[in-house]
Amino acid sequence: MSVQQTTTFTLLSTTYFGPVQWYQKLNRAVTAVIDASENFQKQTYRNRCIVASPSGPLALTVPVEHAGSATSTPVGELRISDHGNWRHIHQKALESAYGESPFYDYYIDDISQFYTRRWERLFDFNLDIIRLMCSLLDIEPDIQISTDFIRPDEALSMGYDDLRNTITPKHPKADPDFSPVPYYQVYQQRNGFLPNLSILDLLFNMGPESIFFL
């Protein structure tokens, strides 16, 4: 399977260990613009990822702090909450989901830092995750950060491929450029192949071959 760059400017939302589809867009765009000024949206990949637990898909959510309504807060200003001991919960969930995967031991030390260190803002936390994932996947996208909100009509007029609300865990929009390609998953015999999970699922299961699925 060849990896091709097909889109010049791709506008993406921030993401917490985002899905394979998100990283495919990042890899194929000549320039990826990540929006730091859009208002936060709940129940999206901005602060959650979905992994393959022994019993099926499991959503892991990073809690956030906000004054008033989080949905009226620019995502770049949103602070991470320490509520609910989430770091420990997420780390244990990854161990349960992928402890027996082929490349868990190879990558987990790099990934554990996101549960032992502290980041103040969600956007900075996610950006450091994205940079590490690019390094582990051996991709070198041109990433730019938008500090001014780009309205959908502006994005259209500027020729951007606006995917901020296309790649979403609930009611995703049609994407003719993305077709999940099955790969080995630890609990596939039990749950069947689960498409478009967190990039961690692909990385832990396929290791250096992950790039061929992007």
Side-chain angles (χ1 to χ4, degrees):
M1 184 185 305
S2 62
V3 176
Q4 299 177 347
Q5 292 182 322
T6 58
T7 304
T8 302
F9 291 97
T10 300
L11 185 57
L12 297 166
S13 62
T14 184
T15 186
Y16 167 62
F17 289 118
V20 173
Q21 181 185 15
W22 192 96
Y23 278 90
Q24 182 215 57
K25 303 304 181 184
L26 184 70
N27 183 44
R28 296 190 180 188
V30 175
T31 298
V33 180
I34 302 178
D35 191 347
S37 297
E38 64 169 353
N39 286 347
F40 175 70
Q41 297 182 38
K42 297 179 180 179
Q43 299 183 2
T44 66
Y45 292 124
R46 290 163 178 83
N47 70 322
R48 73 167 51 184
C49 67
I50 300 177
V51 299
S53 77
S55 57
L58 173 67
L60 302 175
T61 301
V62 178
V64 295
E65 296 178 351
H66 51 88
S69 173
T71 55
S72 64
T73 303
V75 70
E77 299 178 9
L78 210 62
R79 298 176 184 274
I80 295 175
S81 172
D82 289 327
H83 178 74
N85 198 24
W86 67 269
R87 294 177 181 85
H88 175 75
I89 292 172
H90 287 205
Q91 193 167 21
K92 288 299 182 182
L94 292 182
E95 182 180 359
S96 175
Y98 300 112
E100 296 182 8
S101 65
F103 294 94
Y104 177 82
D105 290 338
Y106 187 80
Y107 293 117
I108 192 58
D109 286 346
D110 288 321
I111 291 164
S112 291
Q113 64 178 300
F114 296 104
Y115 304 112
T116 56
R117 293 173 52 195
R118 293 290 190 271
W119 277 258
E120 181 178 346
R121 298 181 189 274
L122 176 69
F123 190 87
D124 298 332
F125 176 65
N126 285 350
L127 189 57
D128 283 345
I129 287 174
I130 292 164
R131 287 169 174 158
L132 175 64
M133 292 298 100
C134 289
S135 175
L136 298 181
L137 292 165
D138 196 23
I139 61 176
E140 298 181 350
D142 176 24
I143 297 175
Q144 297 183 9
I145 308 301
S146 174
T147 55
D148 295 317
F149 178 64
I150 303 173
R151 300 194 314 269
D153 60 319
E154 292 176 330
L156 180 62
S157 67
M158 294 166 65
Y160 282 39
D161 187 9
D162 186 357
L163 300 176
R164 289 172 294 183
N165 295 310
T166 296
I167 304 173
T168 177
K170 292 189 175 183
H171 310 298
K173 294 182 180 178
D175 181 1
D177 296 323
F178 176 72
S179 297
V181 178
Y183 55 85
Y184 168 81
Q185 292 176 331
V186 175
Y187 301 108
Q188 187 167 349
Q189 288 189 336
R190 183 183 305 178
N191 300 322
F193 176 72
L194 302 176
N196 205 27
L197 297 179
S198 166
I199 192 65
L200 290 175
D201 186 83
L202 179 62
L203 194 66
F204 282 140
N205 286 311
M206 300 306 298
E209 295 185 9
S210 296
I211 190 172
F212 298 114
F213 294 84
L214 302 179

Short mmCIF file of all heavy atoms in Angstrom, two decimals, residues 3-65:
data_model
loop_
_atom_site.label_atom_id
_atom_site.label_comp_id
_atom_site.label_asym_id
_atom_site.label_seq_id
_atom_site.Cartn_x
_atom_site.Cartn_y
_atom_site.Cartn_z
N VAL A 3 1.80 5.33 0.30
CA VAL A 3 1.38 6.50 1.05
C VAL A 3 1.48 7.70 0.13
O VAL A 3 2.54 7.96 -0.43
CB VAL A 3 2.27 6.71 2.30
CG1 VAL A 3 1.89 7.99 3.01
CG2 VAL A 3 2.14 5.52 3.25
N GLN A 4 0.37 8.43 -0.03
CA GLN A 4 0.35 9.54 -0.95
C GLN A 4 -0.09 10.81 -0.24
O GLN A 4 -0.92 10.76 0.66
CB GLN A 4 -0.60 9.27 -2.12
CG GLN A 4 -0.22 8.06 -2.94
CD GLN A 4 -1.24 7.80 -4.04
OE1 GLN A 4 -2.32 8.35 -4.06
NE2 GLN A 4 -0.86 6.94 -4.97
N GLN A 5 0.47 11.95 -0.65
CA GLN A 5 0.02 13.23 -0.17
C GLN A 5 -0.99 13.75 -1.20
O GLN A 5 -0.67 13.94 -2.36
CB GLN A 5 1.18 14.20 -0.02
CG GLN A 5 2.13 13.82 1.11
CD GLN A 5 3.24 14.82 1.28
OE1 GLN A 5 3.75 15.35 0.32
NE2 GLN A 5 3.61 15.08 2.52
N THR A 6 -2.22 13.99 -0.76
CA THR A 6 -3.27 14.33 -1.71
C THR A 6 -3.91 15.68 -1.44
O THR A 6 -4.59 16.20 -2.31
CB THR A 6 -4.36 13.24 -1.67
OG1 THR A 6 -4.90 13.15 -0.35
CG2 THR A 6 -3.79 11.89 -2.08
N THR A 7 -3.76 16.25 -0.26
CA THR A 7 -4.44 17.48 0.10
C THR A 7 -3.42 18.53 0.49
O THR A 7 -2.49 18.25 1.23
CB THR A 7 -5.41 17.23 1.27
OG1 THR A 7 -6.32 16.20 0.91
CG2 THR A 7 -6.19 18.49 1.59
N THR A 8 -3.60 19.77 -0.01
CA THR A 8 -2.63 20.82 0.28
C THR A 8 -2.80 21.37 1.69
O THR A 8 -1.89 21.33 2.50
CB THR A 8 -2.75 21.95 -0.75
OG1 THR A 8 -2.55 21.41 -2.04
CG2 THR A 8 -1.69 23.01 -0.48
N PHE A 9 -4.00 21.89 2.01
CA PHE A 9 -4.27 22.44 3.33
C PHE A 9 -5.42 21.66 3.96
O PHE A 9 -6.53 21.65 3.42
CB PHE A 9 -4.63 23.92 3.25
CG PHE A 9 -3.46 24.79 2.87
CD1 PHE A 9 -3.29 25.18 1.56
CD2 PHE A 9 -2.53 25.20 3.81
CE1 PHE A 9 -2.21 25.97 1.18
CE2 PHE A 9 -1.45 25.99 3.45
CZ PHE A 9 -1.30 26.38 2.14
N THR A 10 -5.14 21.02 5.08
CA THR A 10 -6.17 20.27 5.81
C THR A 10 -6.35 20.90 7.17
O THR A 10 -5.39 21.07 7.92
CB THR A 10 -5.75 18.80 5.96
OG1 THR A 10 -5.57 18.23 4.66
CG2 THR A 10 -6.80 18.01 6.71
N LEU A 11 -7.60 21.27 7.49
CA LEU A 11 -7.91 21.92 8.76
C LEU A 11 -8.46 20.88 9.72
O LEU A 11 -9.49 20.25 9.45
CB LEU A 11 -8.93 23.03 8.52
CG LEU A 11 -9.32 23.92 9.71
CD1 LEU A 11 -8.08 24.58 10.32
CD2 LEU A 11 -10.33 24.97 9.27
N LEU A 12 -7.76 20.69 10.82
CA LEU A 12 -8.10 19.65 11.79
C LEU A 12 -8.34 20.24 13.17
O LEU A 12 -7.77 21.27 13.53
CB LEU A 12 -6.95 18.64 11.89
CG LEU A 12 -6.61 17.84 10.63
CD1 LEU A 12 -5.26 17.15 10.81
CD2 LEU A 12 -7.69 16.82 10.31
N SER A 13 -9.16 19.56 13.95
CA SER A 13 -9.27 19.88 15.37
C SER A 13 -8.14 19.19 16.12
O SER A 13 -7.51 18.26 15.62
CB SER A 13 -10.63 19.40 15.92
OG SER A 13 -10.72 17.99 15.78
N THR A 14 -7.88 19.66 17.33
CA THR A 14 -6.91 18.97 18.17
C THR A 14 -7.47 17.61 18.57
O THR A 14 -8.68 17.37 18.49
CB THR A 14 -6.60 19.80 19.43
OG1 THR A 14 -5.57 19.15 20.19
CG2 THR A 14 -7.82 19.97 20.32
N THR A 15 -6.60 16.71 18.98
CA THR A 15 -7.08 15.37 19.31
C THR A 15 -6.19 14.70 20.35
O THR A 15 -4.98 14.93 20.41
CB THR A 15 -7.15 14.49 18.04
OG1 THR A 15 -7.74 13.25 18.34
CG2 THR A 15 -5.77 14.27 17.44
N TYR A 16 -6.82 13.89 21.19
CA TYR A 16 -6.13 13.11 22.23
C TYR A 16 -5.96 11.68 21.72
O TYR A 16 -6.92 10.92 21.67
CB TYR A 16 -6.96 13.14 23.52
CG TYR A 16 -6.52 12.15 24.58
CD1 TYR A 16 -5.26 12.21 25.15
CD2 TYR A 16 -7.39 11.16 25.03
CE1 TYR A 16 -4.86 11.30 26.13
CE2 TYR A 16 -7.02 10.25 26.02
CZ TYR A 16 -5.75 10.32 26.55
OH TYR A 16 -5.35 9.43 27.52
N PHE A 17 -4.72 11.32 21.33
CA PHE A 17 -4.47 10.00 20.73
C PHE A 17 -5.57 9.68 19.71
O PHE A 17 -6.27 8.66 19.80
CB PHE A 17 -4.39 8.91 21.79
CG PHE A 17 -3.14 8.96 22.64
CD1 PHE A 17 -3.21 9.17 24.02
CD2 PHE A 17 -1.89 8.83 22.06
CE1 PHE A 17 -2.06 9.23 24.79
CE2 PHE A 17 -0.73 8.88 22.83
CZ PHE A 17 -0.81 9.08 24.20
N GLY A 18 -5.71 10.59 18.73
CA GLY A 18 -6.80 10.54 17.77
C GLY A 18 -6.85 9.24 16.97
O GLY A 18 -5.95 8.40 17.02
N PRO A 19 -7.93 9.07 16.20
CA PRO A 19 -8.13 7.83 15.46
C PRO A 19 -7.23 7.73 14.24
O PRO A 19 -6.61 8.71 13.81
CB PRO A 19 -9.61 7.93 15.05
CG PRO A 19 -9.85 9.40 14.92
CD PRO A 19 -9.03 10.03 16.01
N VAL A 20 -7.19 6.56 13.67
CA VAL A 20 -6.37 6.30 12.48
C VAL A 20 -6.73 7.29 11.37
O VAL A 20 -5.84 7.79 10.67
CB VAL A 20 -6.57 4.84 12.02
CG1 VAL A 20 -5.87 4.60 10.68
CG2 VAL A 20 -6.06 3.87 13.07
N GLN A 21 -8.01 7.56 11.20
CA GLN A 21 -8.45 8.48 10.15
C GLN A 21 -7.80 9.85 10.30
O GLN A 21 -7.38 10.47 9.32
CB GLN A 21 -9.97 8.63 10.21
CG GLN A 21 -10.56 9.55 9.15
CD GLN A 21 -12.05 9.75 9.35
OE1 GLN A 21 -12.60 9.44 10.42
NE2 GLN A 21 -12.72 10.25 8.34
N TRP A 22 -7.72 10.35 11.52
CA TRP A 22 -7.12 11.67 11.78
C TRP A 22 -5.65 11.67 11.35
O TRP A 22 -5.17 12.61 10.71
CB TRP A 22 -7.26 12.02 13.26
CG TRP A 22 -6.96 13.45 13.61
CD1 TRP A 22 -7.85 14.47 13.76
CD2 TRP A 22 -5.67 14.02 13.89
NE1 TRP A 22 -7.22 15.64 14.11
CE2 TRP A 22 -5.87 15.38 14.19
CE3 TRP A 22 -4.37 13.51 13.92
CZ2 TRP A 22 -4.82 16.24 14.51
CZ3 TRP A 22 -3.33 14.37 14.24
CH2 TRP A 22 -3.55 15.71 14.52
N TYR A 23 -4.94 10.61 11.70
CA TYR A 23 -3.51 10.55 11.37
C TYR A 23 -3.30 10.29 9.87
O TYR A 23 -2.28 10.69 9.32
CB TYR A 23 -2.81 9.51 12.24
CG TYR A 23 -2.46 10.08 13.59
CD1 TYR A 23 -3.34 10.00 14.65
CD2 TYR A 23 -1.26 10.75 13.79
CE1 TYR A 23 -3.05 10.57 15.89
CE2 TYR A 23 -0.95 11.32 15.02
CZ TYR A 23 -1.85 11.23 16.06
OH TYR A 23 -1.55 11.80 17.27
N GLN A 24 -4.25 9.65 9.23
CA GLN A 24 -4.16 9.52 7.78
C GLN A 24 -4.21 10.90 7.13
O GLN A 24 -3.44 11.21 6.22
CB GLN A 24 -5.29 8.65 7.22
CG GLN A 24 -5.21 8.44 5.72
CD GLN A 24 -6.58 8.38 5.05
OE1 GLN A 24 -7.38 9.31 5.16
NE2 GLN A 24 -6.83 7.27 4.37
N LYS A 25 -5.13 11.75 7.60
CA LYS A 25 -5.25 13.10 7.06
C LYS A 25 -3.99 13.90 7.33
O LYS A 25 -3.50 14.65 6.47
CB LYS A 25 -6.46 13.81 7.66
CG LYS A 25 -7.77 13.09 7.47
CD LYS A 25 -8.06 12.82 6.00
CE LYS A 25 -9.40 12.11 5.83
NZ LYS A 25 -9.65 11.74 4.43
N LEU A 26 -3.46 13.76 8.53
CA LEU A 26 -2.23 14.47 8.90
C LEU A 26 -1.09 14.05 7.99
O LEU A 26 -0.31 14.89 7.51
CB LEU A 26 -1.88 14.17 10.35
CG LEU A 26 -0.68 14.91 10.94
CD1 LEU A 26 -1.01 16.39 11.11
CD2 LEU A 26 -0.27 14.31 12.27
N ASN A 27 -0.99 12.77 7.71
CA ASN A 27 0.11 12.24 6.92
C ASN A 27 0.01 12.66 5.45
O ASN A 27 1.02 12.90 4.80
CB ASN A 27 0.14 10.72 7.02
CG ASN A 27 1.30 10.09 6.28
OD1 ASN A 27 2.43 10.57 6.36
ND2 ASN A 27 1.03 9.02 5.56
N ARG A 28 -1.20 12.73 4.94
CA ARG A 28 -1.38 12.99 3.51
C ARG A 28 -1.44 14.47 3.15
O ARG A 28 -1.27 14.82 1.98
CB ARG A 28 -2.64 12.27 3.02
CG ARG A 28 -2.53 10.76 3.12
CD ARG A 28 -3.66 10.06 2.43
NE ARG A 28 -3.52 8.61 2.54
CZ ARG A 28 -4.28 7.73 1.90
NH1 ARG A 28 -5.24 8.16 1.11
NH2 ARG A 28 -4.09 6.44 2.05
N ALA A 29 -1.70 15.32 4.12
CA ALA A 29 -1.77 16.75 3.83
C ALA A 29 -0.37 17.32 3.62
O ALA A 29 0.57 16.95 4.32
CB ALA A 29 -2.44 17.49 4.98
N VAL A 30 -0.22 18.20 2.66
CA VAL A 30 1.04 18.91 2.51
C VAL A 30 1.23 19.82 3.71
O VAL A 30 2.32 19.91 4.29
CB VAL A 30 1.06 19.71 1.19
CG1 VAL A 30 2.34 20.55 1.10
CG2 VAL A 30 0.97 18.76 0.00
N THR A 31 0.15 20.51 4.12
CA THR A 31 0.17 21.34 5.32
C THR A 31 -1.08 21.04 6.13
O THR A 31 -2.19 21.12 5.62
CB THR A 31 0.21 22.84 4.99
OG1 THR A 31 1.40 23.13 4.26
CG2 THR A 31 0.18 23.68 6.26
N ALA A 32 -0.89 20.67 7.40
CA ALA A 32 -2.01 20.43 8.30
C ALA A 32 -2.12 21.61 9.26
O ALA A 32 -1.14 21.96 9.92
CB ALA A 32 -1.80 19.14 9.08
N VAL A 33 -3.29 22.20 9.32
CA VAL A 33 -3.54 23.33 10.21
C VAL A 33 -4.42 22.84 11.36
O VAL A 33 -5.55 22.40 11.14
CB VAL A 33 -4.22 24.49 9.47
CG1 VAL A 33 -4.46 25.67 10.41
CG2 VAL A 33 -3.39 24.93 8.27
N ILE A 34 -3.91 22.91 12.58
CA ILE A 34 -4.67 22.49 13.75
C ILE A 34 -5.24 23.72 14.43
O ILE A 34 -4.50 24.65 14.78
CB ILE A 34 -3.79 21.67 14.72
CG1 ILE A 34 -3.22 20.44 14.00
CG2 ILE A 34 -4.61 21.23 15.92
CD1 ILE A 34 -2.30 19.60 14.87
N ASP A 35 -6.55 23.73 14.62
CA ASP A 35 -7.26 24.91 15.11
C ASP A 35 -7.19 24.99 16.63
O ASP A 35 -7.73 24.14 17.33
CB ASP A 35 -8.73 24.84 14.65
CG ASP A 35 -9.47 26.14 14.87
OD1 ASP A 35 -8.96 27.00 15.60
OD2 ASP A 35 -10.57 26.28 14.29
N ALA A 36 -6.54 26.05 17.13
CA ALA A 36 -6.45 26.26 18.57
C ALA A 36 -7.50 27.24 19.07
O ALA A 36 -7.60 27.49 20.27
CB ALA A 36 -5.06 26.78 18.94
N SER A 37 -8.30 27.81 18.14
CA SER A 37 -9.22 28.88 18.50
C SER A 37 -10.69 28.48 18.40
O SER A 37 -11.56 29.27 18.79
CB SER A 37 -8.97 30.12 17.62
OG SER A 37 -7.67 30.62 17.85
N GLU A 38 -10.98 27.31 17.87
CA GLU A 38 -12.38 26.89 17.83
C GLU A 38 -12.87 26.63 19.24
O GLU A 38 -12.10 26.33 20.15
CB GLU A 38 -12.52 25.61 17.01
CG GLU A 38 -11.80 24.41 17.62
CD GLU A 38 -12.14 23.09 16.95
OE1 GLU A 38 -13.04 23.07 16.11
OE2 GLU A 38 -11.51 22.08 17.31
N ASN A 39 -14.18 26.77 19.46
CA ASN A 39 -14.75 26.46 20.75
C ASN A 39 -14.72 24.96 21.00
O ASN A 39 -14.93 24.16 20.09
CB ASN A 39 -16.18 26.99 20.86
CG ASN A 39 -16.24 28.49 21.02
OD1 ASN A 39 -15.23 29.14 21.29
ND2 ASN A 39 -17.42 29.06 20.85
N PHE A 40 -14.48 24.61 22.23
CA PHE A 40 -14.41 23.20 22.62
C PHE A 40 -15.77 22.52 22.39
O PHE A 40 -16.82 23.12 22.60
CB PHE A 40 -14.02 23.08 24.08
CG PHE A 40 -14.04 21.68 24.63
CD1 PHE A 40 -13.10 20.75 24.22
CD2 PHE A 40 -15.01 21.29 25.54
CE1 PHE A 40 -13.12 19.45 24.71
CE2 PHE A 40 -15.03 20.00 26.04
CZ PHE A 40 -14.09 19.08 25.63
N GLN A 41 -15.72 21.27 21.94
CA GLN A 41 -16.93 20.47 21.76
C GLN A 41 -16.82 19.19 22.58
O GLN A 41 -15.80 18.48 22.48
CB GLN A 41 -17.14 20.13 20.29
CG GLN A 41 -17.38 21.35 19.41
CD GLN A 41 -17.65 20.96 17.97
OE1 GLN A 41 -18.31 19.96 17.69
NE2 GLN A 41 -17.13 21.74 17.05
N LYS A 42 -17.84 18.91 23.36
CA LYS A 42 -17.85 17.72 24.19
C LYS A 42 -18.04 16.46 23.36
O LYS A 42 -18.55 16.51 22.25
CB LYS A 42 -18.98 17.82 25.23
CG LYS A 42 -18.83 18.96 26.23
CD LYS A 42 -20.01 18.98 27.19
CE LYS A 42 -19.88 20.10 28.19
NZ LYS A 42 -21.05 20.14 29.12
N GLN A 43 -17.64 15.34 23.95
CA GLN A 43 -17.84 14.01 23.37
C GLN A 43 -17.25 13.91 21.97
O GLN A 43 -17.86 13.32 21.06
CB GLN A 43 -19.32 13.64 23.38
CG GLN A 43 -19.91 13.58 24.77
CD GLN A 43 -21.36 13.14 24.78
OE1 GLN A 43 -21.95 12.83 23.76
NE2 GLN A 43 -21.95 13.08 25.96
N THR A 44 -16.06 14.48 21.79
CA THR A 44 -15.36 14.39 20.52
C THR A 44 -13.94 13.91 20.79
O THR A 44 -13.51 13.76 21.94
CB THR A 44 -15.31 15.75 19.80
OG1 THR A 44 -14.50 16.67 20.56
CG2 THR A 44 -16.71 16.34 19.62
N TYR A 45 -13.20 13.72 19.69
CA TYR A 45 -11.81 13.27 19.83
C TYR A 45 -10.90 14.35 20.39
O TYR A 45 -9.72 14.10 20.61
CB TYR A 45 -11.28 12.82 18.47
CG TYR A 45 -11.92 11.55 17.95
CD1 TYR A 45 -12.55 11.54 16.70
CD2 TYR A 45 -11.90 10.37 18.68
CE1 TYR A 45 -13.12 10.38 16.20
CE2 TYR A 45 -12.47 9.21 18.20
CZ TYR A 45 -13.08 9.22 16.96
OH TYR A 45 -13.65 8.07 16.47
N ARG A 46 -11.43 15.56 20.62
CA ARG A 46 -10.60 16.63 21.16
C ARG A 46 -10.06 16.25 22.53
O ARG A 46 -8.95 16.65 22.88
CB ARG A 46 -11.40 17.93 21.21
CG ARG A 46 -11.69 18.51 19.82
CD ARG A 46 -12.82 19.53 19.88
NE ARG A 46 -13.08 20.12 18.57
CZ ARG A 46 -13.84 19.56 17.63
NH1 ARG A 46 -14.40 18.36 17.85
NH2 ARG A 46 -14.04 20.17 16.48
N ASN A 47 -10.83 15.53 23.31
CA ASN A 47 -10.34 15.10 24.63
C ASN A 47 -10.69 13.65 24.93
O ASN A 47 -10.76 13.26 26.11
CB ASN A 47 -10.88 16.02 25.73
CG ASN A 47 -12.37 15.86 25.96
OD1 ASN A 47 -13.15 15.68 25.02
ND2 ASN A 47 -12.78 15.95 27.22
N ARG A 48 -10.90 12.86 23.90
CA ARG A 48 -11.13 11.43 24.14
C ARG A 48 -10.55 10.59 23.02
O ARG A 48 -10.38 11.06 21.90
CB ARG A 48 -12.62 11.12 24.29
CG ARG A 48 -13.42 11.18 23.03
CD ARG A 48 -14.81 10.56 23.24
NE ARG A 48 -15.49 11.09 24.39
CZ ARG A 48 -16.68 10.67 24.84
NH1 ARG A 48 -17.31 9.70 24.20
NH2 ARG A 48 -17.23 11.20 25.90
N CYS A 49 -10.23 9.36 23.38
CA CYS A 49 -9.82 8.38 22.38
C CYS A 49 -10.59 7.10 22.64
O CYS A 49 -11.15 6.90 23.72
CB CYS A 49 -8.30 8.13 22.43
SG CYS A 49 -7.71 7.31 23.92
N ILE A 50 -10.63 6.24 21.64
CA ILE A 50 -11.35 4.98 21.77
C ILE A 50 -10.37 3.84 21.50
O ILE A 50 -9.71 3.81 20.46
CB ILE A 50 -12.54 4.91 20.80
CG1 ILE A 50 -13.51 6.05 21.11
CG2 ILE A 50 -13.25 3.56 20.92
CD1 ILE A 50 -14.69 6.13 20.17
N VAL A 51 -10.27 2.94 22.46
CA VAL A 51 -9.34 1.82 22.36
C VAL A 51 -10.12 0.51 22.35
O VAL A 51 -11.32 0.48 22.62
CB VAL A 51 -8.32 1.83 23.52
CG1 VAL A 51 -7.51 3.12 23.49
CG2 VAL A 51 -9.01 1.67 24.88
N ALA A 52 -9.42 -0.59 22.06
CA ALA A 52 -10.06 -1.91 21.99
C ALA A 52 -9.81 -2.64 23.30
O ALA A 52 -8.77 -3.27 23.48
CB ALA A 52 -9.51 -2.70 20.81
N SER A 53 -10.76 -2.59 24.20
CA SER A 53 -10.65 -3.32 25.45
C SER A 53 -11.05 -4.77 25.22
O SER A 53 -11.61 -5.11 24.18
CB SER A 53 -11.55 -2.69 26.51
OG SER A 53 -12.90 -3.06 26.29
N PRO A 54 -10.79 -5.65 26.17
CA PRO A 54 -11.20 -7.05 26.01
C PRO A 54 -12.69 -7.22 25.74
O PRO A 54 -13.11 -8.19 25.11
CB PRO A 54 -10.79 -7.69 27.34
CG PRO A 54 -9.65 -6.85 27.81
CD PRO A 54 -9.98 -5.45 27.40
N SER A 55 -13.52 -6.27 26.21
CA SER A 55 -14.97 -6.38 26.02
C SER A 55 -15.50 -5.51 24.90
O SER A 55 -16.71 -5.42 24.71
CB SER A 55 -15.69 -6.01 27.33
OG SER A 55 -15.33 -4.70 27.75
N GLY A 56 -14.60 -4.87 24.14
CA GLY A 56 -15.05 -4.06 23.01
C GLY A 56 -14.51 -2.63 23.09
O GLY A 56 -13.62 -2.33 23.89
N PRO A 57 -15.06 -1.72 22.27
CA PRO A 57 -14.56 -0.35 22.26
C PRO A 57 -14.73 0.33 23.62
O PRO A 57 -15.77 0.18 24.27
CB PRO A 57 -15.44 0.34 21.20
CG PRO A 57 -15.95 -0.77 20.35
CD PRO A 57 -16.11 -1.94 21.27
N LEU A 58 -13.70 1.06 24.03
CA LEU A 58 -13.71 1.75 25.32
C LEU A 58 -13.25 3.19 25.11
O LEU A 58 -12.18 3.43 24.56
CB LEU A 58 -12.78 1.04 26.30
CG LEU A 58 -12.55 1.74 27.65
CD1 LEU A 58 -13.85 1.75 28.47
CD2 LEU A 58 -11.43 1.07 28.43
N ALA A 59 -14.07 4.14 25.53
CA ALA A 59 -13.73 5.56 25.41
C ALA A 59 -12.99 6.02 26.65
O ALA A 59 -13.43 5.78 27.78
CB ALA A 59 -14.99 6.39 25.21
N LEU A 60 -11.86 6.67 26.44
CA LEU A 60 -11.06 7.25 27.52
C LEU A 60 -11.09 8.77 27.35
O LEU A 60 -10.70 9.28 26.31
CB LEU A 60 -9.62 6.74 27.47
CG LEU A 60 -9.44 5.23 27.55
CD1 LEU A 60 -7.98 4.85 27.37
CD2 LEU A 60 -9.97 4.69 28.88
N THR A 61 -11.56 9.47 28.38
CA THR A 61 -11.79 10.91 28.27
C THR A 61 -10.92 11.68 29.25
O THR A 61 -10.83 11.33 30.43
CB THR A 61 -13.27 11.24 28.55
OG1 THR A 61 -14.10 10.54 27.61
CG2 THR A 61 -13.53 12.74 28.42
N VAL A 62 -10.28 12.73 28.75
CA VAL A 62 -9.49 13.64 29.59
C VAL A 62 -10.44 14.70 30.14
O VAL A 62 -11.03 15.45 29.37
CB VAL A 62 -8.37 14.31 28.79
CG1 VAL A 62 -7.60 15.29 29.67
CG2 VAL A 62 -7.43 13.28 28.18
N PRO A 63 -10.62 14.78 31.46
CA PRO A 63 -11.52 15.80 32.01
C PRO A 63 -10.90 17.19 31.89
O PRO A 63 -9.69 17.35 31.95
CB PRO A 63 -11.67 15.39 33.48
CG PRO A 63 -10.41 14.65 33.79
CD PRO A 63 -10.01 13.95 32.51
N VAL A 64 -11.74 18.18 31.69
CA VAL A 64 -11.27 19.55 31.52
C VAL A 64 -11.95 20.48 32.51
O VAL A 64 -13.07 20.23 32.97
CB VAL A 64 -11.51 20.05 30.08
CG1 VAL A 64 -10.66 19.25 29.10
CG2 VAL A 64 -12.98 19.98 29.71
N GLU A 65 -11.25 21.57 32.82
CA GLU A 65 -11.79 22.61 33.68
C GLU A 65 -12.26 23.76 32.82
O GLU A 65 -11.69 24.03 31.77
CB GLU A 65 -10.73 23.12 34.66
CG GLU A 65 -10.25 22.08 35.65
CD GLU A 65 -9.17 22.63 36.56
OE1 GLU A 65 -8.69 23.76 36.31
OE2 GLU A 65 -8.80 21.94 37.51
#
